[in-house]
Amino acid sequence: MTLAKLDLAAEVDKIFADLGVAADKYKGGTLAVRSPISGTEIGRLPEVTAADAKKAIDAAHEAFLEWRLVPAPKRGELIRLLGEELRSAKAALGRLVSIEVGKVTSEGLGEVQEMIDICDFAVGLSRQLYGLTIATERSEHRMMETWHPLGVIGIISAFNFPVAVWSWNSALAIVCGNSTVWKPSEKTPLTALATQAIFDKALARYIANGGSAPKNLSTLLIGGRDIGEALVDHEKVPLVSATGSTRMGREVGPKLAQRFARSILELGGNNAAIVTPTADLDLTLRGVAFAAMGTAGQRCTTLRRLFVHDSVYDALVPRLAKAYQSVTIGSPLTEGNLVGPLIDRQAFDKMQAALQASKAAGGKVVGGERVLDAEATDAYYVRPAIVEMPRQTDTVKEETFAPILYVMKYSTFDEALALHNDVPQGLSSSIFTNDMREAETFVSARGSDCGIANVNIGPSGAEIGGAFGGEKETGGGRESGSDAWRAYMRRATNTLNYGRTLPLAQGVKFDIE
Ligand code: NAD
């Protein structure tokens, strides 16, 4: 079937009917959503106003005041049920991710699997929100730290991980005793609506099983940037976790700092890999091709820059270029296609501009051309581009959110490392080597400056067990696993005196008789 003939709107109807979402929630509104697969409209959602958003945040604050009193393991039970509901809805939600964002089927499903995994993690965590008992210098005293919920957690998410990012934040925030308010990307409100419906099912079961939970524990706000701003500006939101471009982070970060609110900023990445003389080239080829072309280059962790040692350059790069020429591009719903569409025309234009600038700077481009435009005039499919660059230019140092891999030669390891770190954005990174000294140096303090540094595996993809992300401009590794939960809580230090005296500073006396 040609792309234009796919009836994606009908599929969306079926998915929402199965999830019990009424048609007026995604039809007849002002926010039009197009599937990048065919370029056709698949929904038109009602949007909230900034005033509605403010009221919703106030209501979420009321929910927090109640939810913080529910014991943490009971809060974990709600997230356990959410994990179960996500398991049953995995096929439907994964399909909707593919339809709304254009991810190939396995990646749409993979995104939902990440949601399930973080639920499992958070359930365990709900019994492990540990504080320390600390040796005190005072006799007959005990000192300890306790962790308390923070308040309303604001979540702003990007189009390319339309549902996983919400779950990384929400599963932790909720077991930690907070309420959440989510502003998804205006390009992906349908998957957000479906996710909220799945959460509501889990909540209904939790309450039916005797659990107690307030209304407005998890709120979804459909709207544009102004709604994100309402979250950022609201004094009752002590933490905003915002995922998106570095431009967005630069606007959001200072505003939060201004009112002393916390931020988790997961921003752009201009990720690189170094291929050294001892690299296993077959493994490297597979790792590089997948990390650079997968999700049509629209992952924050996509591989965008490759530094290849001059002794292996000719053995690797022509093979890589061949792989680029042979990759299957087309509907992400068709099995076997590795590369789906770009999200929209704007992304296509930015890609073409970056390729033009690279050519002008002496780059040799293979690929990059638009394909399948005769089948679907409003969809933007491209052949991934590989660009051999004479040096790391300003264009190479920018994150273009499209499948462009810039390849450059190097001679010494230190030179490669310096080039690797010479970009403002630093999210994820890799080295392909069998030399233990190079591998260890790469992950050491003087090695990669990114929040994720890998050896013999590409930079893209992440497991929820590790703290994900950490773009270097904003600090390293803060979402999902490890001890990321601490960001969603506040620490109190408590000192308890079980003696009969109150030690005062030397020489201080009070006349209390
Ligand atoms: P974007 O910055 O255009 O939008 C992201 C979100 O921020 C949207 O919901 C948008 O409405 C909101 N927003 C934009 N300006 C805002 C403002 N001034 N105040 C409040 N909210 C605002 O990003 P995008 O195009 O949707 O996503 C692609 C970008 O996201 C890429 O740069 C990619 O690397 C990055 N990303 C990073 C991670 C990570 O974990 N580091 C994950 C996914 C995507």
PDB file of all heavy atoms in Angstrom, residues 380-410:
ATOM      1  N   TYR A 380       8.245  13.551   4.997  1.00  0.00           N
ATOM      2  CA  TYR A 380       9.644  13.869   4.674  1.00  0.00           C
ATOM      3  C   TYR A 380      10.570  12.708   5.026  1.00  0.00           C
ATOM      4  O   TYR A 380      11.031  12.581   6.154  1.00  0.00           O
ATOM      5  CB  TYR A 380      10.058  15.175   5.378  1.00  0.00           C
ATOM      6  CG  TYR A 380       9.309  16.327   4.779  1.00  0.00           C
ATOM      7  CD1 TYR A 380       8.042  16.671   5.252  1.00  0.00           C
ATOM      8  CD2 TYR A 380       9.810  17.001   3.676  1.00  0.00           C
ATOM      9  CE1 TYR A 380       7.308  17.687   4.654  1.00  0.00           C
ATOM     10  CE2 TYR A 380       9.086  18.014   3.063  1.00  0.00           C
ATOM     11  CZ  TYR A 380       7.844  18.349   3.555  1.00  0.00           C
ATOM     12  OH  TYR A 380       7.126  19.337   2.948  1.00  0.00           O
ATOM     13  N   TYR A 381      10.789  11.860   4.023  1.00  0.00           N
ATOM     14  CA  TYR A 381      11.725  10.752   4.168  1.00  0.00           C
ATOM     15  C   TYR A 381      13.041  11.171   3.515  1.00  0.00           C
ATOM     16  O   TYR A 381      13.025  11.795   2.444  1.00  0.00           O
ATOM     17  CB  TYR A 381      11.197   9.499   3.464  1.00  0.00           C
ATOM     18  CG  TYR A 381       9.983   8.890   4.140  1.00  0.00           C
ATOM     19  CD1 TYR A 381       8.702   9.397   3.907  1.00  0.00           C
ATOM     20  CD2 TYR A 381      10.120   7.802   4.999  1.00  0.00           C
ATOM     21  CE1 TYR A 381       7.592   8.840   4.530  1.00  0.00           C
ATOM     22  CE2 TYR A 381       9.006   7.234   5.616  1.00  0.00           C
ATOM     23  CZ  TYR A 381       7.748   7.760   5.375  1.00  0.00           C
ATOM     24  OH  TYR A 381       6.658   7.197   5.997  1.00  0.00           O
ATOM     25  N   VAL A 382      14.151  10.822   4.137  1.00  0.00           N
ATOM     26  CA  VAL A 382      15.456  11.151   3.541  1.00  0.00           C
ATOM     27  C   VAL A 382      16.370   9.941   3.628  1.00  0.00           C
ATOM     28  O   VAL A 382      16.231   9.103   4.533  1.00  0.00           O
ATOM     29  CB  VAL A 382      16.166  12.310   4.284  1.00  0.00           C
ATOM     30  CG1 VAL A 382      15.525  13.640   3.981  1.00  0.00           C
ATOM     31  CG2 VAL A 382      16.230  12.055   5.772  1.00  0.00           C
ATOM     32  N   ARG A 383      17.304   9.873   2.685  1.00  0.00           N
ATOM     33  CA  ARG A 383      18.377   8.887   2.835  1.00  0.00           C
ATOM     34  C   ARG A 383      19.366   9.468   3.845  1.00  0.00           C
ATOM     35  O   ARG A 383      19.764  10.638   3.704  1.00  0.00           O
ATOM     36  CB  ARG A 383      19.058   8.642   1.473  1.00  0.00           C
ATOM     37  CG  ARG A 383      20.187   7.616   1.562  1.00  0.00           C
ATOM     38  CD  ARG A 383      20.511   7.020   0.213  1.00  0.00           C
ATOM     39  NE  ARG A 383      19.415   6.213  -0.322  1.00  0.00           N
ATOM     40  CZ  ARG A 383      19.086   4.990   0.093  1.00  0.00           C
ATOM     41  NH1 ARG A 383      19.781   4.408   1.045  1.00  0.00           N
ATOM     42  NH2 ARG A 383      18.075   4.349  -0.426  1.00  0.00           N
ATOM     43  N   PRO A 384      19.732   8.712   4.884  1.00  0.00           N
ATOM     44  CA  PRO A 384      20.703   9.240   5.849  1.00  0.00           C
ATOM     45  C   PRO A 384      21.976   9.671   5.124  1.00  0.00           C
ATOM     46  O   PRO A 384      22.356   9.069   4.108  1.00  0.00           O
ATOM     47  CB  PRO A 384      20.961   8.044   6.766  1.00  0.00           C
ATOM     48  CG  PRO A 384      19.746   7.207   6.658  1.00  0.00           C
ATOM     49  CD  PRO A 384      19.269   7.366   5.244  1.00  0.00           C
ATOM     50  N   ALA A 385      22.594  10.703   5.656  1.00  0.00           N
ATOM     51  CA  ALA A 385      23.774  11.257   4.975  1.00  0.00           C
ATOM     52  C   ALA A 385      25.040  10.977   5.772  1.00  0.00           C
ATOM     53  O   ALA A 385      25.056  11.059   6.998  1.00  0.00           O
ATOM     54  CB  ALA A 385      23.607  12.769   4.816  1.00  0.00           C
ATOM     55  N   ILE A 386      26.088  10.647   5.030  1.00  0.00           N
ATOM     56  CA  ILE A 386      27.405  10.510   5.649  1.00  0.00           C
ATOM     57  C   ILE A 386      28.283  11.565   4.981  1.00  0.00           C
ATOM     58  O   ILE A 386      28.282  11.685   3.757  1.00  0.00           O
ATOM     59  CB  ILE A 386      27.920   9.065   5.499  1.00  0.00           C
ATOM     60  CG1 ILE A 386      29.269   8.887   6.135  1.00  0.00           C
ATOM     61  CG2 ILE A 386      27.967   8.569   4.097  1.00  0.00           C
ATOM     62  CD1 ILE A 386      29.578   7.421   6.385  1.00  0.00           C
ATOM     63  N   VAL A 387      28.949  12.363   5.782  1.00  0.00           N
ATOM     64  CA  VAL A 387      29.695  13.506   5.243  1.00  0.00           C
ATOM     65  C   VAL A 387      31.146  13.425   5.711  1.00  0.00           C
ATOM     66  O   VAL A 387      31.422  13.521   6.906  1.00  0.00           O
ATOM     67  CB  VAL A 387      29.077  14.842   5.726  1.00  0.00           C
ATOM     68  CG1 VAL A 387      29.747  16.014   5.015  1.00  0.00           C
ATOM     69  CG2 VAL A 387      27.584  14.870   5.487  1.00  0.00           C
ATOM     70  N   GLU A 388      32.056  13.231   4.780  1.00  0.00           N
ATOM     71  CA  GLU A 388      33.487  13.233   5.132  1.00  0.00           C
ATOM     72  C   GLU A 388      33.947  14.688   5.185  1.00  0.00           C
ATOM     73  O   GLU A 388      33.853  15.409   4.192  1.00  0.00           O
ATOM     74  CB  GLU A 388      34.280  12.447   4.095  1.00  0.00           C
ATOM     75  CG  GLU A 388      34.001  10.952   4.175  1.00  0.00           C
ATOM     76  CD  GLU A 388      34.817  10.180   3.166  1.00  0.00           C
ATOM     77  OE1 GLU A 388      36.025  10.002   3.387  1.00  0.00           O
ATOM     78  OE2 GLU A 388      34.232   9.783   2.129  1.00  0.00           O
ATOM     79  N   MET A 389      34.388  15.106   6.361  1.00  0.00           N
ATOM     80  CA  MET A 389      34.747  16.513   6.557  1.00  0.00           C
ATOM     81  C   MET A 389      36.259  16.662   6.695  1.00  0.00           C
ATOM     82  O   MET A 389      36.910  15.846   7.355  1.00  0.00           O
ATOM     83  CB  MET A 389      34.093  17.047   7.838  1.00  0.00           C
ATOM     84  CG  MET A 389      32.600  17.214   7.762  1.00  0.00           C
ATOM     85  SD  MET A 389      32.029  18.398   6.520  1.00  0.00           S
ATOM     86  CE  MET A 389      32.506  19.968   7.233  1.00  0.00           C
ATOM     87  N   PRO A 390      36.807  17.738   6.118  1.00  0.00           N
ATOM     88  CA  PRO A 390      38.243  17.964   6.271  1.00  0.00           C
ATOM     89  C   PRO A 390      38.602  18.391   7.696  1.00  0.00           C
ATOM     90  O   PRO A 390      39.726  18.222   8.146  1.00  0.00           O
ATOM     91  CB  PRO A 390      38.540  19.091   5.281  1.00  0.00           C
ATOM     92  CG  PRO A 390      37.229  19.744   5.010  1.00  0.00           C
ATOM     93  CD  PRO A 390      36.165  18.730   5.253  1.00  0.00           C
ATOM     94  N   ARG A 391      37.627  18.973   8.421  1.00  0.00           N
ATOM     95  CA  ARG A 391      37.873  19.404   9.815  1.00  0.00           C
ATOM     96  C   ARG A 391      36.523  19.588  10.506  1.00  0.00           C
ATOM     97  O   ARG A 391      35.467  19.529   9.859  1.00  0.00           O
ATOM     98  CB  ARG A 391      38.693  20.692   9.857  1.00  0.00           C
ATOM     99  CG  ARG A 391      37.997  21.848   9.259  1.00  0.00           C
ATOM    100  CD  ARG A 391      38.888  23.049   8.974  1.00  0.00           C
ATOM    101  NE  ARG A 391      38.112  23.963   8.167  1.00  0.00           N
ATOM    102  CZ  ARG A 391      37.236  24.826   8.645  1.00  0.00           C
ATOM    103  NH1 ARG A 391      37.042  24.945   9.939  1.00  0.00           N
ATOM    104  NH2 ARG A 391      36.527  25.599   7.849  1.00  0.00           N
ATOM    105  N   GLN A 392      36.585  19.835  11.819  1.00  0.00           N
ATOM    106  CA  GLN A 392      35.352  20.008  12.596  1.00  0.00           C
ATOM    107  C   GLN A 392      34.894  21.471  12.502  1.00  0.00           C
ATOM    108  O   GLN A 392      35.356  22.317  13.247  1.00  0.00           O
ATOM    109  CB  GLN A 392      35.611  19.582  14.046  1.00  0.00           C
ATOM    110  CG  GLN A 392      34.385  19.660  14.927  1.00  0.00           C
ATOM    111  CD  GLN A 392      34.442  18.743  16.124  1.00  0.00           C
ATOM    112  OE1 GLN A 392      33.787  17.705  16.135  1.00  0.00           O
ATOM    113  NE2 GLN A 392      35.218  19.091  17.133  1.00  0.00           N
ATOM    114  N   THR A 393      33.960  21.742  11.609  1.00  0.00           N
ATOM    115  CA  THR A 393      33.511  23.124  11.376  1.00  0.00           C
ATOM    116  C   THR A 393      32.401  23.490  12.370  1.00  0.00           C
ATOM    117  O   THR A 393      31.919  22.642  13.124  1.00  0.00           O
ATOM    118  CB  THR A 393      32.930  23.252   9.954  1.00  0.00           C
ATOM    119  OG1 THR A 393      31.815  22.346   9.863  1.00  0.00           O
ATOM    120  CG2 THR A 393      33.949  22.901   8.891  1.00  0.00           C
ATOM    121  N   ASP A 394      31.956  24.755  12.291  1.00  0.00           N
ATOM    122  CA  ASP A 394      30.869  25.201  13.186  1.00  0.00           C
ATOM    123  C   ASP A 394      29.600  24.382  12.955  1.00  0.00           C
ATOM    124  O   ASP A 394      28.860  24.089  13.887  1.00  0.00           O
ATOM    125  CB  ASP A 394      30.563  26.689  12.946  1.00  0.00           C
ATOM    126  CG  ASP A 394      31.665  27.565  13.524  1.00  0.00           C
ATOM    127  OD1 ASP A 394      32.501  27.026  14.285  1.00  0.00           O
ATOM    128  OD2 ASP A 394      31.686  28.763  13.209  1.00  0.00           O
ATOM    129  N   THR A 395      29.328  24.032  11.690  1.00  0.00           N
ATOM    130  CA  THR A 395      28.115  23.240  11.399  1.00  0.00           C
ATOM    131  C   THR A 395      28.210  21.877  12.089  1.00  0.00           C
ATOM    132  O   THR A 395      27.225  21.389  12.640  1.00  0.00           O
ATOM    133  CB  THR A 395      27.964  23.030   9.870  1.00  0.00           C
ATOM    134  OG1 THR A 395      28.053  24.297   9.248  1.00  0.00           O
ATOM    135  CG2 THR A 395      26.655  22.362   9.521  1.00  0.00           C
ATOM    136  N   VAL A 396      29.404  21.286  12.072  1.00  0.00           N
ATOM    137  CA  VAL A 396      29.587  19.982  12.723  1.00  0.00           C
ATOM    138  C   VAL A 396      29.378  20.113  14.234  1.00  0.00           C
ATOM    139  O   VAL A 396      28.885  19.195  14.889  1.00  0.00           O
ATOM    140  CB  VAL A 396      31.000  19.420  12.419  1.00  0.00           C
ATOM    141  CG1 VAL A 396      31.239  18.107  13.138  1.00  0.00           C
ATOM    142  CG2 VAL A 396      31.207  19.261  10.916  1.00  0.00           C
ATOM    143  N   LYS A 397      29.705  21.282  14.748  1.00  0.00           N
ATOM    144  CA  LYS A 397      29.608  21.472  16.197  1.00  0.00           C
ATOM    145  C   LYS A 397      28.185  21.770  16.655  1.00  0.00           C
ATOM    146  O   LYS A 397      27.932  21.984  17.837  1.00  0.00           O
ATOM    147  CB  LYS A 397      30.531  22.608  16.633  1.00  0.00           C
ATOM    148  CG  LYS A 397      32.001  22.231  16.576  1.00  0.00           C
ATOM    149  CD  LYS A 397      32.758  23.300  17.304  1.00  0.00           C
ATOM    150  CE  LYS A 397      34.215  23.290  17.009  1.00  0.00           C
ATOM    151  NZ  LYS A 397      34.885  24.377  17.705  1.00  0.00           N
ATOM    152  N   GLU A 398      27.243  21.842  15.692  1.00  0.00           N
ATOM    153  CA  GLU A 398      25.840  22.068  16.060  1.00  0.00           C
ATOM    154  C   GLU A 398      25.087  20.755  16.033  1.00  0.00           C
ATOM    155  O   GLU A 398      25.427  19.877  15.251  1.00  0.00           O
ATOM    156  CB  GLU A 398      25.188  22.977  15.015  1.00  0.00           C
ATOM    157  CG  GLU A 398      25.128  24.408  15.426  1.00  0.00           C
ATOM    158  CD  GLU A 398      24.645  25.263  14.278  1.00  0.00           C
ATOM    159  OE1 GLU A 398      23.703  24.835  13.575  1.00  0.00           O
ATOM    160  OE2 GLU A 398      25.245  26.328  14.082  1.00  0.00           O
ATOM    161  N   GLU A 399      24.029  20.638  16.841  1.00  0.00           N
ATOM    162  CA  GLU A 399      23.177  19.455  16.763  1.00  0.00           C
ATOM    163  C   GLU A 399      22.107  19.697  15.699  1.00  0.00           C
ATOM    164  O   GLU A 399      21.234  20.549  15.874  1.00  0.00           O
ATOM    165  CB  GLU A 399      22.479  19.186  18.104  1.00  0.00           C
ATOM    166  CG  GLU A 399      21.583  17.946  18.071  1.00  0.00           C
ATOM    167  CD  GLU A 399      20.510  17.923  19.167  1.00  0.00           C
ATOM    168  OE1 GLU A 399      19.890  18.969  19.419  1.00  0.00           O
ATOM    169  OE2 GLU A 399      20.299  16.846  19.749  1.00  0.00           O
ATOM    170  N   THR A 400      22.214  18.987  14.549  1.00  0.00           N
ATOM    171  CA  THR A 400      21.129  19.036  13.562  1.00  0.00           C
ATOM    172  C   THR A 400      20.322  17.770  13.783  1.00  0.00           C
ATOM    173  O   THR A 400      20.864  16.663  13.676  1.00  0.00           O
ATOM    174  CB  THR A 400      21.692  19.087  12.132  1.00  0.00           C
ATOM    175  OG1 THR A 400      22.511  20.253  12.019  1.00  0.00           O
ATOM    176  CG2 THR A 400      20.577  19.157  11.093  1.00  0.00           C
ATOM    177  N   PHE A 401      19.031  17.934  14.097  1.00  0.00           N
ATOM    178  CA  PHE A 401      18.238  16.779  14.542  1.00  0.00           C
ATOM    179  C   PHE A 401      17.726  15.981  13.338  1.00  0.00           C
ATOM    180  O   PHE A 401      16.535  15.983  13.008  1.00  0.00           O
ATOM    181  CB  PHE A 401      17.094  17.270  15.429  1.00  0.00           C
ATOM    182  CG  PHE A 401      16.771  16.318  16.544  1.00  0.00           C
ATOM    183  CD1 PHE A 401      17.756  15.889  17.422  1.00  0.00           C
ATOM    184  CD2 PHE A 401      15.490  15.839  16.723  1.00  0.00           C
ATOM    185  CE1 PHE A 401      17.471  15.005  18.452  1.00  0.00           C
ATOM    186  CE2 PHE A 401      15.188  14.945  17.745  1.00  0.00           C
ATOM    187  CZ  PHE A 401      16.184  14.535  18.609  1.00  0.00           C
ATOM    188  N   ALA A 402      18.661  15.314  12.671  1.00  0.00           N
ATOM    189  CA  ALA A 402      18.378  14.579  11.431  1.00  0.00           C
ATOM    190  C   ALA A 402      19.543  13.598  11.224  1.00  0.00           C
ATOM    191  O   ALA A 402      20.579  13.726  11.883  1.00  0.00           O
ATOM    192  CB  ALA A 402      18.305  15.577  10.280  1.00  0.00           C
ATOM    193  N   PRO A 403      19.393  12.637  10.312  1.00  0.00           N
ATOM    194  CA  PRO A 403      20.458  11.624  10.165  1.00  0.00           C
ATOM    195  C   PRO A 403      21.648  12.112   9.331  1.00  0.00           C
ATOM    196  O   PRO A 403      21.738  11.825   8.141  1.00  0.00           O
ATOM    197  CB  PRO A 403      19.738  10.465   9.487  1.00  0.00           C
ATOM    198  CG  PRO A 403      18.635  11.108   8.709  1.00  0.00           C
ATOM    199  CD  PRO A 403      18.228  12.333   9.458  1.00  0.00           C
ATOM    200  N   ILE A 404      22.528  12.851   9.967  1.00  0.00           N
ATOM    201  CA  ILE A 404      23.781  13.267   9.308  1.00  0.00           C
ATOM    202  C   ILE A 404      24.932  12.770  10.187  1.00  0.00           C
ATOM    203  O   ILE A 404      24.970  13.087  11.380  1.00  0.00           O
ATOM    204  CB  ILE A 404      23.909  14.799   9.193  1.00  0.00           C
ATOM    205  CG1 ILE A 404      22.716  15.398   8.443  1.00  0.00           C
ATOM    206  CG2 ILE A 404      25.226  15.174   8.513  1.00  0.00           C
ATOM    207  CD1 ILE A 404      22.752  16.929   8.343  1.00  0.00           C
ATOM    208  N   LEU A 405      25.839  12.011   9.577  1.00  0.00           N
ATOM    209  CA  LEU A 405      27.027  11.581  10.323  1.00  0.00           C
ATOM    210  C   LEU A 405      28.252  12.246   9.692  1.00  0.00           C
ATOM    211  O   LEU A 405      28.551  12.026   8.511  1.00  0.00           O
ATOM    212  CB  LEU A 405      27.180  10.049  10.256  1.00  0.00           C
ATOM    213  CG  LEU A 405      28.424   9.505  10.971  1.00  0.00           C
ATOM    214  CD1 LEU A 405      28.326   9.726  12.483  1.00  0.00           C
ATOM    215  CD2 LEU A 405      28.611   8.007  10.683  1.00  0.00           C
ATOM    216  N   TYR A 406      28.947  13.067  10.463  1.00  0.00           N
ATOM    217  CA  TYR A 406      30.168  13.721   9.990  1.00  0.00           C
ATOM    218  C   TYR A 406      31.352  12.829  10.355  1.00  0.00           C
ATOM    219  O   TYR A 406      31.501  12.437  11.519  1.00  0.00           O
ATOM    220  CB  TYR A 406      30.348  15.083  10.661  1.00  0.00           C
ATOM    221  CG  TYR A 406      29.235  16.060  10.358  1.00  0.00           C
ATOM    222  CD1 TYR A 406      28.274  16.374  11.318  1.00  0.00           C
ATOM    223  CD2 TYR A 406      29.135  16.669   9.110  1.00  0.00           C
ATOM    224  CE1 TYR A 406      27.253  17.275  11.039  1.00  0.00           C
ATOM    225  CE2 TYR A 406      28.104  17.569   8.828  1.00  0.00           C
ATOM    226  CZ  TYR A 406      27.168  17.864   9.803  1.00  0.00           C
ATOM    227  OH  TYR A 406      26.169  18.753   9.520  1.00  0.00           O
ATOM    228  N   VAL A 407      32.177  12.512   9.353  1.00  0.00           N
ATOM    229  CA  VAL A 407      33.323  11.627   9.602  1.00  0.00           C
ATOM    230  C   VAL A 407      34.615  12.422   9.421  1.00  0.00           C
ATOM    231  O   VAL A 407      34.771  13.138   8.418  1.00  0.00           O
ATOM    232  CB  VAL A 407      33.299  10.438   8.614  1.00  0.00           C
ATOM    233  CG1 VAL A 407      34.407   9.447   8.950  1.00  0.00           C
ATOM    234  CG2 VAL A 407      31.947   9.739   8.658  1.00  0.00           C
ATOM    235  N   MET A 408      35.513  12.277  10.387  1.00  0.00           N
ATOM    236  CA  MET A 408      36.787  13.000  10.322  1.00  0.00           C
ATOM    237  C   MET A 408      37.945  12.079  10.706  1.00  0.00           C
ATOM    238  O   MET A 408      37.758  11.163  11.502  1.00  0.00           O
ATOM    239  CB  MET A 408      36.743  14.204  11.274  1.00  0.00           C
ATOM    240  CG  MET A 408      35.865  15.331  10.753  1.00  0.00           C
ATOM    241  SD  MET A 408      35.104  16.325  12.065  1.00  0.00           S
ATOM    242  CE  MET A 408      33.793  15.285  12.638  1.00  0.00           C
ATOM    243  N   LYS A 409      39.108  12.353  10.104  1.00  0.00           N
ATOM    244  CA  LYS A 409      40.315  11.539  10.358  1.00  0.00           C
ATOM    245  C   LYS A 409      41.102  12.117  11.527  1.00  0.00           C
ATOM    246  O   LYS A 409      41.112  13.338  11.716  1.00  0.00           O
ATOM    247  CB  LYS A 409      41.222  11.661   9.132  1.00  0.00           C
ATOM    248  CG  LYS A 409      41.387  10.398   8.346  1.00  0.00           C
ATOM    249  CD  LYS A 409      42.363  10.635   7.203  1.00  0.00           C
ATOM    250  CE  LYS A 409      41.892   9.818   6.013  1.00  0.00           C
ATOM    251  NZ  LYS A 409      42.660  10.020   4.808  1.00  0.00           N
ATOM    252  N   TYR A 410      41.774  11.256  12.278  1.00  0.00           N
ATOM    253  CA  TYR A 410      42.708  11.770  13.289  1.00  0.00           C
ATOM    254  C   TYR A 410      43.972  10.920  13.293  1.00  0.00           C
ATOM    255  O   TYR A 410      43.981   9.795  12.781  1.00  0.00           O
ATOM    256  CB  TYR A 410      42.050  11.801  14.682  1.00  0.00           C
ATOM    257  CG  TYR A 410      41.989  10.445  15.369  1.00  0.00           C
ATOM    258  CD1 TYR A 410      43.041   9.985  16.172  1.00  0.00           C
ATOM    259  CD2 TYR A 410      40.884   9.607  15.226  1.00  0.00           C
ATOM    260  CE1 TYR A 410      42.984   8.755  16.811  1.00  0.00           C
ATOM    261  CE2 TYR A 410      40.816   8.368  15.862  1.00  0.00           C
ATOM    262  CZ  TYR A 410      41.874   7.948  16.647  1.00  0.00           C
ATOM    263  OH  TYR A 410      41.823   6.731  17.260  1.00  0.00           O
TER     264      TYR A 410
END
